[in-house]
Amino acid sequence: MTAKFNIPDELVQGFIKAGQSMMESFTKSYAAQIGDIGKIGVPVTPPGDGKLAELQTRYYQQQMELWMGTLARPAGQPHEPVATPQKGDRRFNAAEWRDNPYYDFLKQQYLINARLISDMVETADVDEKTRDKLRFYSRQYIDSMSPANFAATNPEVLKLALESKGETVKAGFESLIEDIRKGRISLTDESAFEIGRNIAVSEGAVVFENDLMQLIQYAPSTKKVATRPLLIVPPCINKFYILDLQPENSFVRYAVEQGNTVFLISWRNITPELGHITWDHYLSDGVMKAIEVALAITGADKINTLGWCVGGTLLSCTLAVLRGRGD
């Protein structure tokens, strides 16, 4: 039979009083950290006294239940978890998070603390727009503090380290050192890809460039060619070749096989000396200039356009500005 611990109210209240200063300190530091968010217009006001007391009571009740449940485990006494991950949360899928008392305690302690922060946001005396901002920043903070993020508190990481005799830890440090050397974080093994061999394999040529972008032209591969060229505007945060990978999954290759003359923007990585570039520059020197060049090269009077992600946003804004100008 699963045990459900009933904690005396007197004990909970005493625990609350003992931790009152800690909670007040936490509230102030959290408000200062999240609400310096005040710099972007998010003032933080802690919950009213009644709401805060209610959150404190539930928080310490859960803490006591967690401790008593953890202490009961060595005696083989089963107990219900105080806090469980939300459906779809895969961070704690490993059996150790459930079966090992240490990792189970870490997991539940984290979930209880995460719930407290979320509840403080939901009960804070702010308007809904501010609450949405607080939800966003609180979520970033909560996710960043997950025990699954740290090698010392992640059983899967430690298990792999033991099984590989430390090779996984060594590889991780090597990747870290390499990223520090490059000054950026690598998301994949960059040595596995080579432009022109297994990515960006479609044959094309740079037909225009400026400080913001290069414009690549791809010739159609059919006898019949569409009158209107196709301009593709990719997002600025990805390289152009997300749309031109290997032959079997290249959108550019598919488009030229349909008889299109394709123009594709390759955005430049912005360096500090280009920090003055604004959204307007992306419209005028980016999308508008690409349209102008594509029309001049093909002699067409109109152009088909296609944008992805923020490239679609840039394209939509550009078309709205051109329409406003009567073009």
Side-chain angles (χ1 to χ4, degrees):
M1 181 177 180
T2 301
K4 182 69 175 178
F5 300 104
N6 294 316
I7 313 299
D9 289 341
E10 297 82 5
L11 181 59
V12 175
Q13 293 302 323
F15 198 26
I16 290 175
K17 291 179 180 179
Q20 186 74 40
S21 60
M22 183 276 290
M23 176 60 73
E24 290 176 356
S25 175
F26 169 79
T27 302
K28 291 178 181 178
S29 64
Y30 176 72
Q33 180 180 8
I34 300 287
D36 220 11
I37 297 181
K39 294 179 180 178
I40 57 172
V42 185
V44 175
T45 303
D49 292 338
K51 294 179 181 179
L52 182 58
E54 182 180 340
L55 293 180
Q56 287 178 310
T57 300
R58 184 172 64 187
Y59 175 77
Y60 287 120
Q61 179 82 29
Q62 290 176 327
Q63 290 287 355
M64 290 296 294
E65 289 183 11
L66 176 59
W67 272 104
M68 293 186 70
T70 301
L71 294 174
R73 290 190 67 161
Q77 184 177 358
H79 68 286
E80 294 181 5
V82 180
T84 57
Q86 293 183 349
K87 185 178 180 181
D89 187 347
R90 299 181 295 177
R91 295 174 296 176
F92 306 106
N93 281 354
E96 288 84 356
W97 291 111
R98 180 185 65 255
D99 300 334
N100 185 296
Y102 170 70
Y103 292 115
D104 182 47
F105 177 83
L106 281 180
K107 175 191 69 179
Q108 293 194 64
Q109 182 73 261
Y110 163 73
L111 293 174
I112 291 171
N113 291 334
R115 174 67 183 275
L116 174 65
I117 294 175
S118 296
D119 287 346
M120 289 178 67
V121 170
E122 295 305 316
T123 57
D125 186 17
V126 295
D127 57 71
E128 279 306 306
K129 183 176 180 180
T130 301
R131 196 183 315 281
D132 284 339
K133 294 180 181 179
L134 284 174
R135 287 187 184 119
F136 174 80
Y137 287 102
S138 298
R139 188 73 260 166
Q140 310 312 306
Y141 175 74
I142 290 170
D143 289 346
S144 71
M145 297 306 295
S146 168
N149 291 343
F150 305 95
T153 53
N154 187 318
E156 294 178 271
V157 172
L158 295 176
K159 183 178 180 181
L160 284 173
L162 290 172
E163 291 176 349
S164 66
K165 298 181 179 180
E167 286 299 317
T168 55
V169 177
K170 177 184 175 184
F173 273 110
E174 289 175 347
S175 296
L176 173 62
I177 292 172
E178 181 63 18
D179 283 348
I180 293 175
R181 185 187 66 79
K182 292 185 294 188
R184 55 185 171 83
I185 297 176
S186 301
L187 300 180
T188 187
D189 179 9
E190 296 177 1
S191 64
F193 303 96
E194 182 182 340
I195 295 177
R197 181 176 63 85
N198 53 8
I199 56 172
V201 296
S202 297
E203 185 176 351
V206 175
V207 294
F208 175 83
E209 64 180 0
N210 58 21
D211 288 342
L212 194 56
M213 60 89 173
Q214 287 183 327
L215 186 63
I216 305 170
Q217 180 181 351
Y218 301 89
S221 59
T222 55
K223 292 182 179 180
K224 290 186 177 181
V225 179
T227 302
R228 294 182 185 178
L230 170 64
L231 172 64
I232 302 175
V233 184
C236 311
I237 56 175
N238 291 112
K239 292 299 184 182
F240 71 92
Y241 41 73
I242 61 167
L243 297 168
D244 181 32
L245 300 173
Q246 300 179 60
E248 60 271 17
N249 59 357
S250 167
F251 180 80
V252 169
R253 182 184 178 92
Y254 174 80
V256 297
E257 287 177 343
Q258 310 310 306
N260 293 289
T261 300
V262 176
F263 291 87
L264 176 62
I265 292 178
S266 174
W267 297 108
R268 179 176 181 179
N269 290 333
I270 299 301
T271 52
E273 58 268 21
L274 295 176
H276 63 280
I277 289 178
T278 66
W279 183 263
D280 288 345
H281 289 104
Y282 274 92
L283 301 189
S284 60
D285 300 340
V287 184
M288 289 183 191
K289 178 57 71 171
I291 292 175
E292 176 187 328
V293 172
L295 292 177
I297 290 176
T298 60
D301 60 342
K302 293 183 179 179
I303 190 171
N304 293 323
T305 56
L306 184 61
W308 264 270
C309 192
V310 73
T313 307
L314 286 167
L315 179 59
S316 298
C317 290
T318 298
L319 297 179
V321 171
L322 292 175
R323 183 177 180 85
R325 295 176 180 176
D327 187 347

